[in-house]
């Protein structure tokens, strides 16, 4: 048995578990050091030693006691700071802030600024001290606070500042803070200058503090304790501001002040308060100064929106648009007021033209009262009325276009090209244009005037602009079928009388109409041009076919150019075409030429019939006046009248009745042509006795051998493409109603043929939609046409369902 050596007994290791220390001793050192930090004497401290002391306490399970003692120390310090350093700075020595509000602005501003500066310094010192303490107590945060889910010392310190400074019941510093910031902002709104930087520092403090230690972003002290009071005070201020501005300012100044307030609040939110408030305070200003009051501003007498629009105040209108756009994306009030003013101006144009027309009609009736009521006088009055109405038609369109240009500029410069505003303006134009019953006729006359003479000397771009303006007005017309009727009538006269400035421009206009409303609208107009081209070729062939000498061997001095028209393309009745072929008695040479062409044409086209319309043609007549040879362009009727004087001896005359017997020209046309030849002051190829403005049955006419002209070629026009008289308008209206009746019936049949059965309301709606691109159907007319179709057994009512129709195949 071997003996084992005795083991060596060692002293236990020296370690933490054997250190003899007490919590109170270490805490005494720590608390003293923490107080030195508060007193700004931290330079002499050893942070490493302090950290080790805190580390030891946590390691020895004294973290809970250490945590509570640190919080108590911080609370005591903050109570002292609030009581001794911040509260004395409150205006009135800590009494109610309201006591300072009655003092001078400078004293209020300086007193408030001292308080804010003191609070700012206390906050910044507290943050600095907390930062140092966080470094010393880092192990406490990492171990004890994490394990026990307690807020870190820094977060807890923030909460203690909130509770013992701002929300201390004894000091009420938070209440003073809100009141002073609001007072400072009020002073700035009233025009005083304030220290924005100090206020911003205090706001940073409020943004850095939370209602609870969880630090929820929606529970920042700025949002929960200050912002509500700020918005409430701002609401009261801007309500009073709106009332004051309404009393003191005109509309333009009000808009400028409102915009300035919005800019001020934006700047205040970003530079003085918090960007978190920018949207909310903007809403307050917009509601008080715009939403609740803008209607009254727009209706201000002498400066409201009507004055802005009438005087082209683009900047004010732009500001108005921008302010309204802030509160209403649809800009409903702006659309309403702008449209109302536009309609009012448009109706003023309508009334002005209508009153002028009525005045002129009244004066002509007065003139005619003493002259008897003969047919000749009536024709003269009708022509005079129509010529005056034509002038008014051009004036009406020019004024409407000027109004359109004016509002287009406003739309572009002030309303920023807003599509919704453009739609509202278009509806307003359509409203007053369609309110004027003669608008389709007047627009056609305007286009006719431009295509006859108004486009001479203009560039292609200028021509295109005029045509585009015409199309723009055309879009506003609801009764496009009436416009079509007038346009075809005027176009036909331009083509047949050779009065169009350019066929290319004519086709360009038709092309624009086709793009706007489709091929069906322009197919007949295009057919007119086709007839004109065919007629040129036909005339050329006739000249080649016709012998150059007559049967007696003399060379023919008369040439014929014929326009062969397809009746379905040309509005012959609207142009005054006669149903009978023999509308006048032609001179022998002309009659022979006419018969020769008739024979030539019928040999080429069997089964056709020619009807000569003398009222639609023109003629070039060579004549001698004052020993000078002139070439005179007149109507075909004018040529027949002039040639009638070839058989009158020198100095001889013909009476009106004799001319009527010789020429067989219809009385109305004979009157108009004699007025052009013998009454018009510049081109009196004939003399009339007695000389007067009107043509009477007893008048006698002479060949005016003494007529002189500085031109070798002159053109004598007859009243044409004039505005319609009241009688002609009634006839046009009746024909339009007849055409519309057929179109409504065709639409009903088309719909019912497809659907077989339809309820009355649905059928009415579909018919209106189908025909709306040509005219606005009258529901009463639709109902009447449906009844007519039932009488003719195209439709029937469904048994037991009186509002339902069935199509009968």
């Amino acid at each position: 048995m071997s003996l084992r050596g005795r083991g060596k007994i060692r002293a236990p290791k020296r370690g933490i578990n054997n250190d003899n220390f007490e919590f109170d001793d270490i805490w005494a050192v720590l608390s003293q050091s923490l107080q030195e930090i508060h007193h700004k004497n931290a330079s002499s401290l050893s942070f490493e030693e302090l950290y080790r002391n805190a580390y030891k306490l946590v390691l020895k399970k004294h973290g809970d006691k250490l945590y509570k003692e640190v919080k108590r120390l911080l609370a005591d310090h903050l109570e002292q700071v609030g009581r001794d350093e911040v509260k004395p700075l409150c205006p009135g020595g800590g009494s109610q802030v309201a006591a300072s509000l009655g003092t001078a602005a400078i004293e209020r501003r300086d007193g408030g600024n001292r308080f804010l500066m003191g609070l700012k310094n206390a906050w910044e010192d507290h943050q600095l001290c907390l930062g140092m303490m966080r470094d010393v107590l880092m192990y406490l945060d990492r171990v004890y606070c994490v394990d026990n889910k307690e807020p870190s010392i820094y977060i807890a310190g923030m909460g203690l500042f909130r509770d013992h400074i701002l929300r201390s019941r004894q000091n009420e510093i938070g209440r003073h803070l809100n009141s002073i910031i609001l007072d400072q902002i009020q002073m700035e709104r009233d025009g005083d200058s304030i220290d924005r930087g100090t206020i911003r520092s205090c706001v940073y403090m409020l943004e850095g503090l939370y209602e609870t230690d969880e630090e929820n972003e929606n529970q920042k002290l700025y949002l929960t304790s200050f912002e509500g009071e700020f918005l409430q005070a701002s609401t009261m201020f801007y309500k009073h501001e709106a009332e004051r501005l309404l009393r003191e300012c005109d509309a333009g100044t009000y808009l400028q002040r409102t915009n300035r307030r919005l800019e001020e609040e934006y700047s205040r939110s970003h530079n003085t308060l918090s960007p978190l408030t920018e949207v909310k305070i903007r809403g307050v200003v917009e509601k008080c100064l715009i939403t609740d009051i803008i209607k009254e501003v727009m209706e201000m007498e002498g400066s409201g929106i009507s004055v802005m629009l009438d005087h082209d105040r683009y900047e004010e209108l732009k500001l108005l648009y921008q302010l309204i756009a802030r509160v209403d994306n649809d800009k409903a009030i702006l659309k309403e007021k702008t449209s109302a003013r536009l309609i009012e101006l448009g109706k003023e144009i309508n009334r002005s033209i209508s009153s002028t027309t009525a005045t002129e009609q009244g004066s002509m009736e007065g003139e005619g009262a003493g002259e008897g009521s003969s047919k000749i006088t009536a024709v003269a009055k009708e022509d005079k009325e129509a010529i005056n109405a034509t002038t008014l038609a051009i004036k009406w369109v020019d004024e409407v276009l000027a109004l359109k240009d004016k509002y287009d500029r406003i739309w572009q410069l002030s309303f920023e090209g807003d599509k919704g505003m453009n739609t509202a303006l278009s509806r307003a134009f359509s409203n007053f244009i369609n309110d004027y019953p003669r608008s389709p006729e007047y627009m056609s006359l305007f286009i006719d005037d431009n295509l006859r003479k108004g486009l001479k000397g203009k560039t292609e771009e200028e021509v295109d602009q005029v045509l585009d303006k015409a199309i723009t007005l055309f879009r506003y017309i609801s009764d496009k079928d009436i416009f079509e009727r007038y346009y075809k009538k005027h176009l036909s006269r331009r083509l047949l009388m050779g009065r169009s400035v350019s066929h290319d421009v004519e086709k360009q206009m038709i092309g624009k109409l086709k793009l706007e409303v489709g091929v069906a609208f322009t197919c007949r107009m295009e057919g007119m041009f086709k007839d004109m081209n065919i007629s040129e070729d036909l005339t050329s062939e006739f000249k080649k076919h016709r012998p150059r000498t007559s049967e007696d061997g003399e060379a023919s001095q008369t040439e014929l150019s014929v326009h062969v028209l397809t009746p379905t393309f040309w509005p012959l009745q609207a142009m005054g075409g006669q149903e009978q072929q023999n509308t006048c008695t032609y001179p022998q040479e002309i009659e022979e030429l006419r018969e020769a062409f008739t024979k030539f044409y019928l040999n080429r086209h069997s089964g056709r019939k020619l009807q000569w319309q003398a009222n639609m043609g023109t003629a070039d007549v060579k004549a001698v006046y004052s020993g000078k040879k002139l070439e005179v362009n007149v109507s075909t009727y004018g040529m027949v009248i002039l040639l009638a004087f070839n058989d009158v001896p020198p100095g001889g005359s013909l009476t009106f009745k004799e001319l009527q017997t010789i020429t067989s020209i219809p009385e109305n046309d004979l009157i108009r042509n004699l007025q052009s030849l013998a009454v018009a002051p510049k081109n009196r190829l004939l003399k009339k006795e007695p000389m007067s403005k009107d043509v009477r049955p007893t008048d006698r006419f002479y060949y005016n051998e003494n007529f002189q002209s500085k031109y070798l070629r002159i053109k004598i026009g007859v009243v044409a493409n004039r505005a319609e008289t009241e009688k002609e308008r009634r006839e046009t209206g009746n024909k339009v109603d007849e055409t519309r009746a057929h179109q409504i019936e065709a639409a009903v049949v088309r719909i019912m043929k497809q659907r077989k059965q339809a309820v009355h309301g649905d059928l009415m709606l579909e018919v209106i939609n189908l025909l709306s691109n040509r005219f606005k159907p009258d529901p009463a007319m639709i109902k009447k046409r449906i009844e007519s179709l039932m009488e003719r057994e195209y439709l029937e009512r469904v048994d037991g369902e009186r509002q339902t129709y069935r199509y009968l195949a």
Side-chain angles (χ1 to χ4, degrees), residues 472-536:
T472 299
L473 292 186
F474 171 73
R475 290 193 189 108
Y476 297 139
I477 302 176
S478 59
D479 295 331
K480 290 182 170 59
D481 57 337
I482 298 179
F483 171 86
E484 178 190 8
R485 186 176 186 87
Y486 285 116
Y487 190 84
K488 287 195 298 184
K489 171 184 173 182
H490 297 154
L491 171 62
S492 62
R493 288 194 176 275
R494 289 196 300 274
L495 295 179
L496 296 178
M497 302 294 182
R499 291 174 178 169
S500 178
V501 70
S502 168
H503 279 205
D504 290 337
V505 176
E506 293 280 6
K507 292 176 181 177
Q508 186 179 349
M509 183 65 197
I510 291 174
K512 289 180 180 291
L513 290 171
K514 183 191 293 186
L515 287 174
E516 196 66 30
V517 287
V519 177
F521 190 88
T522 58
C523 62
R524 294 184 180 180
M525 301 176 194
E526 292 173 330
M528 294 182 191
F529 283 95
K530 184 178 179 181
D531 280 353
M532 295 296 288
N533 294 333
I534 292 174
S535 296
E536 287 182 10

Side-chain angles (χ1 to χ4, degrees), residues 6-18:
R6 295 182 64 181
K8 190 174 183 180
I9 299 175
R10 298 176 179 173
K13 292 182 178 179
R14 292 178 60 86
I16 294 174
N17 292 331
N18 296 324

Side-chain angles (χ1 to χ4, degrees), residues 296-497:
E296 295 179 52
V297 175
M298 296 171 75
E299 293 174 351
M300 280 186 176
E301 187 175 353
S303 65
I305 188 171
S306 295
V307 175
M308 296 179 192
L309 292 169
D310 293 351
H311 294 85
D312 298 332
R313 296 180 180 174
Y314 301 121
E315 292 302 321
E316 290 182 3
L317 288 168
K318 184 175 183 178
L319 186 54
L320 176 64
Y321 169 84
Q322 292 172 341
L323 293 177
I324 291 177
R326 284 174 168 269
V327 299
D328 180 13
N329 289 332
D330 192 47
K331 282 80 72 176
I333 185 68
L334 183 60
K335 291 178 182 177
E336 176 190 342
K337 296 296 182 183
T338 305
S339 298
R341 182 55 181 166
L342 175 54
I343 291 172
E344 186 179 351
L345 292 175
K347 290 187 175 181
E348 283 180 10
I349 295 174
N350 295 346
R351 285 193 295 270
S352 173
I353 299 298
S354 297
S355 62
T356 304
T357 303
T359 301
E360 291 180 351
Q361 286 177 344
S363 64
M364 284 187 287
E365 287 175 4
E367 291 175 3
E371 298 175 2
S373 56
S374 68
K375 186 173 182 180
I376 294 178
T377 304
V379 171
K381 287 199 298 183
E382 283 185 0
D383 282 347
K384 185 176 180 181
E385 175 189 342
I387 292 170
N388 291 335
T390 302
T391 303
L392 291 175
I394 306 302
K395 180 182 178 183
W396 181 84
V397 177
D398 284 339
E399 290 183 4
V400 172
L401 283 175
L403 192 62
K404 180 72 170 63
D405 290 341
K406 174 187 178 70
Y407 274 79
D408 279 349
R409 286 192 298 273
I410 292 173
W411 176 66
Q412 292 171 351
L413 299 175
S414 301
F415 299 156
E416 300 177 358
D418 186 286
K419 292 183 179 179
M421 289 300 302
N422 187 48
T423 300
L425 294 176
S426 295
R427 288 175 181 167
F429 273 103
S430 182
N431 180 292
F432 77 79
I433 286 174
N434 289 298
D435 186 59
Y436 194 57
R438 302 190 69 171
S439 57
E441 178 189 6
Y442 281 8
M443 287 185 192
S444 181
L445 283 168
F446 168 79
I447 297 172
D448 176 71
D449 183 69
N450 276 280
L451 293 180
R452 282 192 295 113
K453 56 185 179 180
L455 299 179
K456 289 182 180 178
K458 292 187 177 180
T459 64
E460 290 185 9
E461 184 177 354
E462 291 172 331
V463 169
D464 201 51
Q465 288 176 354
V466 172
L467 299 185
D468 284 340
K469 286 182 178 180
I471 288 295
T472 299
L473 292 186
F474 171 73
R475 290 193 189 108
Y476 297 139
I477 302 176
S478 59
D479 295 331
K480 290 182 170 59
D481 57 337
I482 298 179
F483 171 86
E484 178 190 8
R485 186 176 186 87
Y486 285 116
Y487 190 84
K488 287 195 298 184
K489 171 184 173 182
H490 297 154
L491 171 62
S492 62
R493 288 194 176 275
R494 289 196 300 274
L495 295 179
L496 296 178
M497 302 294 182

Side-chain angles (χ1 to χ4, degrees), residues 6 37 66 129 198 316 600 646 741 777 797:
R6 295 182 64 181
I37 291 175
L66 175 62
C129 293
T198 305
E316 290 182 3
F600 164 77
N646 284 345
R797 296 186 189 275

Side-chain angles (χ1 to χ4, degrees), residues 576-737:
Q578 305 295 319
E579 293 296 331
Q580 293 77 18
Q581 181 175 353
N582 297 319
T583 56
C584 78
T585 301
Y586 296 96
Q588 180 62 30
E589 186 175 359
I590 303 299
E591 180 64 26
E592 291 176 357
L593 196 57
R594 187 174 74 88
E595 291 176 355
F597 180 83
T598 302
K599 183 178 179 181
F600 164 77
Y601 182 80
L602 295 179
N603 285 336
R604 294 172 59 91
H605 302 282
S606 60
R608 295 190 181 182
K609 181 181 179 182
L610 286 180
Q611 289 186 347
W612 292 80
Q613 304 291 347
N615 62 308
M616 299 182 190
T618 60
D620 290 331
V621 179
K622 292 181 180 179
V624 178
Y625 286 95
S626 301
K628 182 179 178 181
K629 291 183 178 180
L630 300 178
E631 186 172 313
V632 184
N633 179 264
V634 292
S635 67
T636 301
Y637 284 150
M639 172 200 68
V640 173
I641 293 170
L642 289 176
L643 292 181
F645 283 89
N646 284 345
D647 299 328
V648 176
S653 64
L654 293 172
T655 64
F656 178 87
K657 290 294 185 181
E658 290 172 339
L659 280 170
Q660 192 173 16
T661 301
I662 294 171
T663 63
S664 301
I665 296 174
E667 186 173 342
N668 290 350
D669 291 314
L670 180 60
I671 294 169
R672 292 189 174 101
N673 279 274
L674 285 174
Q675 283 178 326
S676 300
L677 294 171
V679 177
K682 292 183 179 180
N683 299 314
R684 290 178 179 169
L685 301 182
L686 301 178
K687 292 187 297 184
K688 185 172 81 74
E689 287 185 357
M691 177 51 65
S692 63
K693 293 182 179 179
D694 299 324
V695 175
R696 297 181 175 85
T698 56
D699 288 344
R700 185 171 293 276
F701 298 88
Y702 299 83
Y703 184 71
N704 186 10
E705 298 177 354
N706 298 322
F707 172 76
Q708 293 182 351
S709 174
K710 59 181 179 180
Y711 303 106
L712 294 178
R713 178 178 173 83
I714 59 176
K715 185 174 184 177
I716 300 178
V718 182
V719 176
N721 286 12
R722 53 178 173 74
E724 288 186 329
T725 62
E726 189 62 36
K727 178 182 177 182
E728 291 170 334
R729 238 182 352 267
R730 286 195 298 268
E731 292 174 355
T732 298
N734 293 334
K735 291 171 183 175
V736 167
D737 286 343

Side-chain angles (χ1 to χ4, degrees), residues 206-207 209 211 216-229 274 276-277 280:
L206 294 175
E207 287 185 305
L209 296 173
E211 286 289 337
N216 188 322
E217 288 298 313
N218 294 324
Q219 291 187 327
K220 289 182 175 183
L221 223 58
Y222 174 82
L223 298 175
T224 59
S225 299
F226 173 76
E227 188 181 69
E229 286 189 41
S274 168
L276 297 174
T277 305
K280 299 172 187 175

